[in-house]
């Protein structure tokens, strides 16, 4: 897969408006990621306005991290409206498996909304793909992470979910996977600090919305661009962090710095992507 | 207009409690701005308590960024209570024009609450002033920004809204405008990084509430002080940012650093304000 | 009291899942504190799922900072479920005394949920302990802070609340107090910058939940560990801040850096704790 890094330059040229219905834990980070990549962010989650907001946006991101009785109908309404308008919709199934409310909401969302991309950690994607995985908070447990040993099996699982939903499926982790129908790619960028701050996964979903907003007809490429951008920015942040002796707080600041500096050629020069099948 | 910078010292002496009903995207930044300027922040948005919270606060800031069916009645109740007590109320009409819910809510707020200050970007203020401007997310589009070419016309528009509402009207952007009845001033401080982070506008509204809390009878001066403080702090942040090679994440951190260091004399020494008419 | 610093190492070994129902102002900081200390964070506040989320968590933190009609029933349901499962529950009574809604909710929470720890600033704990203290925003006023002069009287007040509730009671401030039944300790760590950023108190409650999750049967020790960790991290942050010339924004970043680096031996080497009675 080549050429996906250029989507980053399309984002900066087009300044896509990305509408997010997301959790209040990491919403500020998500907005800053969208701005750093060159998009424009609008957060709106009242059922009375989300259809109109979806109408003026290039993409919609639905993140169920702190879903509630008022935002669930808004997610459904916004998703259907975006579908009707042909705008790409991203799903971040935070905490899939952790409660009936989350699982029932995911079933409704997958039943009523057509997603261009689904991005989760390995536990969340495994849950959606049908493997019974006991949820453990919102962080992927060590036993489910994508490793070299389970890489192809993990990619098959993601490809199965892609085939069933039509969405490009992203499994985030130390190795990121992107599956689209019967093809899959591994992205080997990133840094271990990313698992140490809250919101790295949510930020990746926001980045995916941003890239899809600029390239709505290139689901797999947009996902690869977003995951590559997050991973490369994480590496750039770690390179600055280590001589300065900083930790998690500094890493998060430097991650935003790096995202704001990235462009297509810089991304293409550093991305480590390979086809799995 | 002289002497407004001293309001910053009044804030540090009086430690005004600023009550905010605001969006969850930038609420943390708003609280930190209020603390950095020397005020005390309380966020409370349930209709059952906002009147009491307004009663123990020196100022109220209403920001409609993520308004919903539960916070709208709270905004109205808190605004009316603050009015009854003679406490200044600030309106930040985030996304004005983007949805009927926002527009109807703004109409109700402007009809039922008397604002001491209204602070928006150029697209939002243009919408409130009656020009039909197509909203584009929550960021002001390039075509509507205040420039040298449209400076006086923009100030006339803001002054018209001020005359109609009785509020001091602030248009934030590369050049900030403050209009109060038939007078208007331009503030030429600030830095381009401010448009690159989320929440610079929300922070300016929080700062305005803080200054009004300390100087409730000086609406224009309080707005000038707040916008000057944000702009000068932005310049100070950029001066530290550039040799260090930082980006958007670092800028945001340095902006809070600078706000915490500012006082009246430092502000007076750097502010670039001039009368428009 | 010795040995409490080792709880920090238990946190890193056990990775306790901490469920928080908290305010949206400082929620991101709270999640990052939990991760920095080695725990796993899940925020969930819809009444339809909080019992299940409590069931998969090692501890629950209830923070009433932006309580509302929808989160209050969730707080009660989650608290009772955690009690039934024997999981420790922490209460952060933000703004106690500021409104009838807060006071009535606190009365219900204290009547229906058994807390392992209650952490507030001096004004909040004084209110819960029954002294009529006029609330002033959510920050403790100067007149109520714990000082050398009122140290023993403050500790007696906290011990009284502990005896009445069975909870370990923490009074945060320049001197932190921990009272458990008829014993009390003073922690003399920390830095003045902590009062200058929003959320230092909320972060301390999150840290307390994290430590209790790893040591559910050692309420006093877990509270001492959490307050010592926050205080020592604040000192480490200030030591880095001052040569670099930073302010409030940088302090907050460095505080997270320091929390992520702390372990039991480092904490034990720096903590300044003494028995009050």
């Amino acid at each position: 897969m080549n050429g996906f890094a250029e989507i980053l330059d399309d984002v900066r040229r087009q300044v896509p408006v990305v509408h997010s219905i997301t959790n209040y834990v990491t919403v500020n980070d998500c907005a800053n990621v969208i701005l750093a990549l060159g998009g424009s962010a609008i957060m709106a989650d009242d059922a009375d306005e989300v259809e109109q907001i979806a109408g003026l946006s290039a993409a919609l991101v639905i993140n169920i991290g702190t879903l509630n009785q008022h935002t669930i109908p808004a997610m459904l309404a916004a998703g259907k409206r975006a579908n009707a308008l042909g705008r790409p919709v991203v799903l971040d199934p935070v905490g899939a498996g952790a409660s009936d409310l989350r699982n029932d909401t995911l079933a409704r969302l997958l039943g009523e909304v057509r997603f261009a991309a689904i991005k989760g950690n390995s536990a969340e994607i495994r849950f959606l793909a049908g493997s019974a995985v006991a949820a453990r908070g919102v962080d992927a447990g060590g036993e489910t992470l994508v490793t070299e040993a389970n890489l192809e099996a993990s990619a098959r699982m993601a490809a199965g979910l892609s085939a069933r939903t039509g969405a490009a499926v992203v499994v985030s982790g130390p190795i990121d996977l992107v599956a689209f129908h019967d093809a899959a790619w591994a992205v080997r960028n990133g840094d271990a600090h990313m698992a140490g701050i809250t919101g790295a996964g949510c930020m990746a979903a926001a980045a995916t919305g941003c890239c899809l907003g600029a390239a709505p007809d290139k689901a797999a490429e947009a996902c690869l661009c977003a995951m590559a951008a997050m991973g490369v920015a994480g590496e750039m942040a770690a390179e600055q962090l280590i001589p300065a002796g900083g930790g998690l707080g500094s890493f998060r600041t430097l991650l935003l710095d790096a995202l704001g500096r990235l462009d297509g050629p810089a991304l293409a020069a550093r991305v480590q992507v390979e086809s799995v099948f």
Side-chain angles (χ1 to χ4, degrees), chain A residues 28-113:
Chain A
N28 182 273
D29 293 325
C30 291
N32 272 321
V33 162
I34 292 168
L35 266 67
L37 288 174
S40 180
I42 186 161
M43 274 67 183
D45 64 11
D46 191 90
D48 272 7
E49 73 164 349
V50 290
E51 291 171 291
Q52 281 185 300
I53 301 296
L56 54 82
S57 302
L60 169 67
V61 179
I62 296 176
N63 172 315
I64 67 162
T66 54
L67 82 177
N68 65 48
Q69 297 302 337
H70 301 280
T71 52
I72 293 167
M75 291 172 184
L76 289 161
K80 287 186 224 179
R81 181 74 185 140
N83 277 177
L85 294 166
R87 312 282 164 78
V89 187
V90 179
L91 175 64
D92 190 344
V94 180
S99 75
D100 293 340
L101 182 68
R102 285 172 201 249
N103 302 347
D104 295 347
T105 300
L106 289 170
R108 287 194 64 189
L109 284 167
L110 289 167
E112 300 179 32
V113 178

Side-chain angles (χ1 to χ4, degrees), chain A residues 121-124 126 133-146 174:
Chain A
N121 64 33
S122 54
E124 291 155 355
R126 242 170 255 280
V133 175
R136 188 181 176 290
V138 295
D139 306 315
E143 68 284 5
T144 65
L145 292 177
V146 174

